[in-house]
């Protein structure tokens, strides 16, 4: 066992003494040592119940003959970080999480690893560490928040963000605004809709790194606790059999994850995270692969923001296993950490009377929920969530109103300076430019809340999974790198055509060349981690990974 390096032999007397100081007995020295990376904190709603989930993991490990060692992992709540400098740290924290888990596991020579987390960058960072370390590992994701209702309609955190625009537009008063504030995030768990957190938990399950039904079981449910306990038992079995993630994770596993993403219309942030996770396994995923799979995969599940159904409704409908069962022909029959292959999990699927999963022969749309666009302002690609887009906005033309900061764009929206037919351009928001590629949920939510239905937003930043409407993000190359989005001016005609996968500005090459001659990038005064991050980070089309 790896842990023998810290507990066996005459030269390890001091090591054993230190282990005994934390309560390890002589008998336990002969058991597998299992590290548990726990993202619990008091500030992140998706993490406030992880202490109970981790306790169940520990019980499972100990009952199966292992010794659990828990350590902490940071986690940023994107919702709380939204709209100010703190959002620059959100995506950048993914690398910190992967690195810190790696450091703890390697320094203490754990035989196996359980990661316990939820929310936007935490699960991707943990998955990166699992594949990088390649020791027996399993993920226990925290699960979705249970929604409450306002005016008889289920609401999510998206509605709280949009409520500000509704109030500004005079559609609701202060009392109604307070209701959204009080009931849009009523429990622990990842925010209720198919935003980044829940999308990545679902993709973690279909990749094969967590047990069946783990991703959609609500955070505070007894079922989640039982899955956590079974995961604790399973990690000991994995160590005993020396089953490592790269023994069963393959390029086909990642194609399964992208396929699931298209079937459910998940968050556009998956286009950043899956390539970053795959890179740790030595697998390269291009933007073209996302679009290739999208073209051949129907969109069969519509969850908030694409509908008023929530992830708990998907759980009642049978969760990931039921999607696998109904759309089995779209998946490769890969092995999973449970010891079961995808098709076996599909065959054992069950629902509880609710059914929001359509048959692939009768989809919401014939193509997947995410599309990759290219054009003269996005030569290396851009991303749009078509699952949250109305049919009449699949093709759109409008005139640019250009902003070099999210703050300025939001003020213009709330002050009524954005009109139907406009294309809001927010640039210098990319991985290097912001830095950290902040989410533009406040501007997109304000547009939706104010009832502007014929307004598009394009950015070299990114979007929350809660964003809906004609919003194109991840434009690469980004403005800070001299991408042509940096050359756009107020009044430029922007054309978006989803079917043709195009996004273009009606500006000829000569005009762009003249603008480029005069262009200078804006300057950011950076220090600390963000300064290092900006120097090392790759473009959005490569997953915004650090170049090392």
């Amino acid at each position: 066992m790896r842990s023998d390096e810290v507990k066996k032999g005459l030269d390890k007397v001091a090591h054993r003494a230190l282990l005994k100081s934390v309560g390890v007995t002589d008998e336990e020295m002969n058991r597998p040592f299992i590290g548990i990376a726990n993202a619990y904190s008091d500030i992140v709603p998706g993490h406030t119940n992880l202490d109970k989930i981790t306790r169940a993991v520990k019980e499972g490990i100990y009952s199966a003959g292992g010794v659990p060692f828990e350590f902490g992992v940071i986690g940023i709540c994107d919702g709380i970080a939204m709209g100010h400098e703190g959002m620059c740290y959100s995506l950048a924290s993914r690398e910190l999480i992967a690195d810190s888990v790696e450091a703890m596991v390697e320094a203490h020579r754990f035989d196996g690893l359980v990661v316990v987390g939820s929310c936007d960058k935490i699960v991707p960072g943990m998955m990166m560490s699992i594949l990088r370390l390649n020791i027996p590992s399993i993920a226990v994701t925290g699960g979705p928040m249970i929604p409450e209702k306002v005016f008889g309609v289920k609401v999510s955190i998206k509605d709280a963000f949009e409520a500000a625009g509704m109030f500004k537009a005079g559609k609701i008063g202060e009392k109604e605004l307070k209701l959204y504030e009080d009931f849009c995030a009523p429990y622990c768990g990842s925010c209720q809709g198919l935003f980044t957190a829940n999308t990545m938990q679902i993709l973690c399950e279909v990749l094969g790194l967590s047990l069946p039904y783990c991703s959609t079981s609500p955070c505070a449910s007894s079922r989640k606790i039982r899955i956590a306990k079974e995961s604790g038992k399973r990690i000991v079995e994995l160590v005993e059999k020396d089953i490592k993630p790269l023994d069963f994770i393959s390029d086909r596993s990642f194609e399964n994850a992208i396929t699931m993403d298209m079937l459910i219309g998940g968050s556009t942030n998956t286009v950043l995270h899956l390539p970053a996770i795959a890179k740790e396994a030595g697998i390269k995923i291009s933007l073209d692969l996302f679009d290739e799979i999208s073209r051949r995969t129907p969109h069969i599940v519509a969850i908030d923001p694409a509908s008023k159904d929530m992830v708990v409704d998907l759980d009642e409908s049978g969760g990931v296993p039921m999607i696998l069962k109904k759309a089995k022909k779209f998946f490769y029959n890969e092995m999973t950490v449970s010891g079961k292959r995808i098709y076996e999990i599909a065959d054992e699927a069950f629902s509880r009377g609710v059914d929001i999963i359509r048959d692939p022969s009768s989809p919401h749309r014939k193509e997947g929920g995410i599309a990759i666009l290219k054009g003269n302002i996005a030569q290396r690609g851009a991303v749009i969530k078509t699952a949250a887009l109305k049919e009449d906005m699949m093709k759109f033309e409008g005139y640019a109103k250009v902003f070099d900061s999210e703050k300025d764009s939001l003020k213009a929206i709330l002050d009524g300076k954005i009109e139907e037919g406009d294309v809001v351009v927010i640039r210098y928001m990319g991985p290097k430019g912001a830095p950290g590629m902040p989410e533009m949920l406040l501007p997109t939510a304000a547009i939706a809340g104010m009832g502007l239905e014929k307004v598009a937003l394009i950015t070299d930043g990114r979007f929350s999974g809660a964003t809906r409407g004609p919003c194109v993000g991840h434009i690469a190359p980004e403005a800070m790198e001299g991408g042509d989005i940096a050359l756009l001016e107020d009044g430029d005609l922007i054309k978006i055509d989803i079917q043709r996968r195009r996004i273009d500005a009606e500006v000829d090459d000569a005009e762009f060349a003249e603008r480029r001659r005069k262009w200078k990038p804006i300057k950011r005064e950076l220090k600390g981690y963000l300064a290092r991050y900006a120097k090392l980070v790759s473009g959005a089309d490569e997953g915004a990974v650090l170049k090392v």
Side-chain angles (χ1 to χ4, degrees):
M1 291 188 291
R2 277 167 45 101
S3 60
D4 287 349
E5 296 179 47
V6 298
K7 63 187 183 184
K8 297 289 185 180
L10 181 62
D11 60 333
K12 299 300 189 296
V13 173
H15 300 65
R16 290 192 293 273
L18 291 167
L19 289 166
K20 286 184 176 182
S21 76
V22 297
V24 179
T25 67
D26 286 330
E27 184 273 330
E28 289 170 342
M29 291 289 184
N30 296 312
R31 298 185 181 192
F33 282 8
I34 311 296
I36 306 174
N38 180 10
Y40 168 81
S41 74
D42 290 330
I43 185 66
V44 183
H47 293 174
T48 56
N49 205 51
L50 296 186
D51 56 340
K52 298 178 180 64
I53 292 171
T54 299
R55 191 180 309 137
V57 171
K58 288 181 175 179
E59 291 171 0
I61 291 170
Y62 203 82
S63 68
V67 182
F69 294 92
E70 177 185 352
F71 60 90
V73 175
I74 67 165
I76 290 173
C77 176
D78 278 25
I80 297 173
M82 197 75 66
H84 54 83
E85 188 178 344
M87 180 47 73
C88 294
Y89 288 89
S90 174
L91 180 60
S93 73
R94 183 187 69 185
E95 320 306 313
L96 290 174
I97 291 163
D99 290 350
S100 63
V101 174
E102 174 197 355
M104 287 295 290
V105 170
E106 293 289 37
H108 300 101
R109 311 312 291 161
F110 293 129
D111 299 302
L113 171 66
V114 182
V115 297
V116 183
S118 90
C119 298
D120 296 43
K121 310 307 163 301
I122 295 84
V123 172
M126 288 178 161
M127 292 164 72
M128 289 168 67
S129 70
I130 284 176
L131 297 188
R132 182 186 301 174
L133 290 162
N134 196 34
I135 65 171
S137 303
I138 194 168
V140 181
T141 52
M145 184 184 291
I146 297 169
E148 289 278 19
K149 294 181 178 180
V150 173
F151 306 122
V153 178
K154 283 181 289 189
V155 291
S156 72
I157 195 64
K158 167 186 67 61
D159 299 286
F161 278 103
E162 293 185 3
M166 293 166 64
F167 178 78
K168 188 73 175 179
K171 295 181 178 182
I172 58 173
E174 290 186 4
K175 289 183 178 179
E176 291 83 0
L177 185 67
K178 185 69 160 51
L179 285 176
Y180 285 104
E181 181 178 319
D182 289 347
F183 291 97
C184 281
Y187 300 102
C188 70
S190 296
C191 296
Q192 309 91 323
L194 195 59
F195 315 144
T196 306
N198 284 318
T199 301
M200 288 310 304
Q201 292 181 81
I202 287 170
L203 299 195
C204 181
E205 183 177 329
V206 79
L207 259 175
L209 291 175
S210 58
L211 295 184
Y213 299 102
C214 185
S215 63
T216 58
S217 296
C219 182
S221 67
S222 63
R223 186 191 199 187
K224 178 66 72 179
I225 298 299
R226 297 194 299 273
I227 290 171
K229 195 174 292 185
E230 290 299 326
S231 298
K233 292 179 180 179
R234 179 60 180 161
I235 189 60
V236 178
E237 294 176 6
L238 294 171
V239 170
E240 290 172 345
K241 296 177 181 178
D242 195 28
I243 299 174
K244 303 180 181 71
L246 296 186
D247 292 337
F248 58 89
I249 295 289
S250 66
D251 53 351
R252 287 188 169 189
S253 303
F254 280 96
E255 289 194 37
N256 281 346
I258 297 172
T259 297
M260 178 63 74
D261 199 15
M262 299 306 165
L263 288 164
I264 63 177
S267 166
T268 52
N269 283 309
T270 59
V271 180
L272 292 171
H273 297 320
L274 286 177
I277 297 163
K279 182 175 180 288
E280 302 292 349
I283 297 169
K284 182 174 176 56
I285 295 179
S286 68
L287 288 183
D288 291 338
L289 180 61
F290 280 89
D291 206 58
E292 176 189 327
I293 293 175
S294 178
R295 289 287 196 182
R296 67 174 187 247
T297 308
H299 174 214
I300 64 171
V301 179
I303 297 174
D304 186 49
S307 78
K308 279 299 179 182
D309 288 323
M310 305 291 175
V311 175
V312 293
D313 299 304
L314 175 60
D315 188 59
E316 289 185 41
S317 300
V320 168
M322 187 58 72
I323 298 174
L324 296 175
K325 184 174 184 176
K326 288 192 174 186
K328 185 188 286 188
K329 67 180 181 180
F330 294 96
F331 291 96
Y332 294 110
N333 191 23
E334 297 303 288
M335 181 59 74
T336 71
V337 75
S338 68
K340 297 178 181 179
R341 290 188 175 273
I342 290 289
Y343 290 177
E344 184 179 356
I345 292 171
D347 291 341
E348 295 174 354
F350 64 90
S351 67
R352 290 176 282 141
V354 174
D355 188 5
I356 66 167
I357 306 168
R358 291 194 177 187
D359 188 276
S361 64
S362 181
H364 292 283
R365 282 206 176 103
K366 292 181 180 179
E367 293 185 354
I370 291 176
I372 306 300
L373 312 182
K374 292 186 178 180
N376 67 352
I377 53 173
Q379 292 94 335
R380 299 208 309 256
V383 183
I384 186 168
K385 183 172 181 173
T386 58
L389 188 62
K390 292 181 178 179
E391 198 67 38
D392 63 355
M393 292 297 288
M394 295 291 280
K395 191 173 183 178
F396 181 78
E397 295 183 7
Y399 292 96
K401 289 188 176 175
V402 182
F403 303 92
D404 289 342
S405 76
E406 178 188 13
K407 182 178 180 181
D408 289 345
S409 71
L410 182 61
K411 185 177 187 304
I413 294 165
L414 293 177
D415 286 349
K417 295 180 179 178
I418 303 301
E419 303 172 340
E420 301 284 12
D422 286 342
V423 176
V424 177
V425 180
I426 311 177
R427 61 192 178 192
Y428 295 103
M429 295 290 106
K432 288 183 178 295
M437 208 177 175
E439 293 180 344
M440 300 291 107
L441 180 56
L442 286 180
T444 61
I447 289 170
M450 294 186 74
L452 295 168
E453 296 186 355
K454 302 293 183 181
V455 170
L457 189 150
I458 69 173
T459 180
D460 51 5
R462 59 192 178 90
F463 297 115
S464 163
T467 291
R468 59 191 176 101
C471 301
V472 181
H474 304 208
I475 288 178
E478 62 173 291
M480 190 62 86
E481 289 186 305
D484 285 349
I485 188 174
L487 309 179
L488 294 178
E489 297 180 355
D490 286 348
D492 286 342
L493 180 63
I494 308 295
K495 294 184 176 182
I496 301 169
D497 189 330
I498 307 302
Q499 188 58 42
R500 293 180 58 239
R501 300 298 201 260
R502 297 292 304 179
I503 177 167
D504 295 283
E506 285 290 289
V507 179
D508 62 36
D509 293 344
E511 175 63 19
F512 263 150
E514 176 61 21
R515 293 181 188 181
R516 182 170 298 284
R517 190 179 64 79
K518 301 175 182 177
W519 171 78
K520 291 181 180 179
I522 63 173
K523 291 184 178 181
R524 304 266 196 226
E525 294 297 328
L526 300 174
K527 60 183 179 179
Y529 177 56
L530 287 183
R532 297 195 300 275
Y533 181 86
K535 288 180 180 179
L536 295 173
V537 71
S538 71
D541 56 308
E542 298 178 56
V545 297
L546 297 186
K547 298 175 181 177
V548 292

